[in-house]
Amino acid sequence: MSGKIITVTSGKGGVGKTTVTANLAVALASMGHSVAAIDTDIGLRNLDIVMGLESRIVYDLVDVAEGRCHLSQALIKDRQLPSLCLLPASQTSNKTAISPHELGLIAAELRASNDFVFIDSPAGIEQGFQNAISTADQIIIVTTPEVTAVRSADRVIGLIETSGKKPGQLIINRIRPAMVRQGDMLNTYDVIEFLAIDLLGVIPDDEAIIIAANKGKPMSGDPTSLAGHAFRNIAQRLTGETVPFLPILEERAGLWSRVRAAARRGLNSLSHPRKMGSRS
Amino acid sequence: MMELPGWMFGRRKSSKAITKERLKLVLVNDRAAIPPELLIVIRNEIIRIVSRHITVDRDKVDVRLSSSAGETRLIATISLASRQSAQPPVMKPLAEKKEF
């Protein structure tokens, strides 16, 4: 077996890399694929807690890289999904504790026995990020429809291009349909127009994601949640299937909601006059 | 579909439209690796050089990057002072060209 190594990265922190990694790993494992997830956010590990495996860590990524244990001893198998396992990050070392070469060897070994190997990248564009993308067959860039996240994603896309990797694919996380309709949030088309890369999926903002993280049970298995549905669709796309995008957010707002939005903006701007910033 | 002009309804610019404009400018600078502070330096030098010959309105000189169709341009817009000074600036020969 020779699986695919997929790195999930973003530049900016807090846009949902870990949530995306956990949910895609769970969705693919639920579909019957064997999946390994590597948390490379050394010093700030979190994938273990989102996957609900934090209490079972014995060894970690740095232990494996430095030869203190065998890879199989550090892997934590999910109890519900036996085809899913996690290689947790070290919480005490720092991001330079592992080299691209060492991570490459570990990922290659996991690829030999899994259909998918996910690498959850740390935030930032330094060594940890470079490690995470160096070994990837495919790169997923996570952003949110916010100006800060899109700018960071653009930078990361440029760095991936510079590194000689093939272009990544984009997941837009935490879209809020009501704000898009009011003209207060970038929509999918806007983000794609700026970043000019392929879209892998769009995930609506969903309270169920926070609740799932609270419980340590990624919610891509939840049939009632729209975000869960979006994650399952993305997982299917990763297996090569063509799945249409959810018709959630993208229809143009009707005249009535535009009038309401305009009226609200009119009122807001009376009470808070907005001065346009100029960058000159 | 015909879009009615926003002013007919007193419609304000949406926050999305504002963020798109700002993001566009920021990304052009980021991609060219030319920070805004360098543009300010360039702007001041342009003012200095052009002012030797023409009176410019210093507050209305705009230097920015613009990107379209895969090409990035440096665009300088220089407004002239509404009334040029009565005496046209003397064409001072440059020091290194004294031999002419």
Side-chain angles (χ1 to χ4, degrees), chain A residues 151 154 183-184 190 194 279, chain B residues 15-16 20 26 30-31 36:
Chain A
R151 183 193 192 179
D154 188 73
D184 284 325
D190 299 324
F194 277 120
R279 289 182 60 86
Chain B
S15 71
K16 176 173 109 167
K20 282 181 83 169
V26 168
D30 282 359
R31 286 175 187 172

Side-chain angles (χ1 to χ4, degrees), chain A residues 146-147 150-151 154-155 180 182-187 190 193-196 252 258 262 265-266 269-270 274 276 279-280, chain B residues 1 3 9-27 29-31 36 40 43 61-62:
Chain A
E146 286 164 69
V147 63
V150 175
R151 183 193 192 179
D154 188 73
R155 185 99 170 82
V180 170
Q182 286 162 23
D184 284 325
M185 182 174 267
L186 298 172
N187 65 27
D190 299 324
E193 193 186 335
F194 277 120
L195 298 181
R252 279 187 86 89
R258 278 202 239 176
R265 271 197 299 279
S269 56
L270 284 179
R274 186 196 299 275
M276 273 287 289
R279 289 182 60 86
S280 61
Chain B
M1 194 183 93
E3 291 264 340
F9 302 110
R11 191 161 76 183
R12 306 284 156 165
K13 205 177 232 184
S14 71
S15 71
K16 176 173 109 167
I18 296 167
T19 207
K20 282 181 83 169
E21 275 174 26
R22 295 176 60 218
L23 193 53
K24 208 170 177 180
L25 278 176
V26 168
L27 292 190
N29 284 291
D30 282 359
R31 286 175 187 172
I40 293 173
R43 177 180 178 272
V61 175
D62 180 52

Side-chain angles (χ1 to χ4, degrees), chain B residues 14 22 34-35 38 43 50-51 56 67 71 73-74 81 86-87 96:
Chain B
S14 71
R22 295 176 60 218
I34 297 174
L38 178 57
R43 177 180 178 272
V50 175
S51 298
V56 304
S67 177
E71 194 182 34
R73 295 190 185 86
L74 180 69
Q87 290 179 325
E96 63 268 34

Side-chain angles (χ1 to χ4, degrees), chain A residues 123-175:
Chain A
I125 52 175
E126 297 84 18
Q127 160 120 50
F129 159 78
Q130 297 291 351
N131 283 354
I133 64 164
S134 67
T135 185
D137 299 317
Q138 188 174 348
I139 299 173
I140 295 176
I141 297 139
V142 182
T143 189
T144 64
E146 286 164 69
V147 63
T148 45
V150 175
R151 183 193 192 179
S152 304
D154 188 73
R155 185 99 170 82
V156 161
I157 289 166
L159 290 170
I160 291 169
E161 197 182 312
T162 311
S163 78
K165 288 274 171 189
K166 64 176 189 192
Q169 291 172 295
L170 190 70
I171 291 182
I172 305 173
N173 193 19
R174 281 192 223 133
I175 282 235

Side-chain angles (χ1 to χ4, degrees), chain A residues 27-44:
Chain A
L28 284 162
S30 312
M31 289 158 62
H33 300 283
S34 55
V35 183
I38 310 175
D39 187 353
T40 64
D41 199 350
I42 298 167
L44 289 170

Side-chain angles (χ1 to χ4, degrees), chain A residues 85-109:
Chain A
C85 64
L86 167 73
L87 178 56
S90 161
Q91 183 68 338
T92 50
S93 314
N94 63 49
K95 287 178 181 63
T96 54
I98 183 162
S99 71
H101 177 68
E102 288 164 333
L103 182 62
L105 288 177
I106 293 168
E109 196 174 335

Side-chain angles (χ1 to χ4, degrees), chain A residues 71-87:
Chain A
L71 175 59
S72 60
Q73 294 172 281
L75 290 177
I76 309 167
K77 252 192 192 355
D78 189 281
R79 289 211 169 101
Q80 270 91 48
L81 294 164
S83 68
L84 173 64
C85 64
L86 167 73
L87 178 56

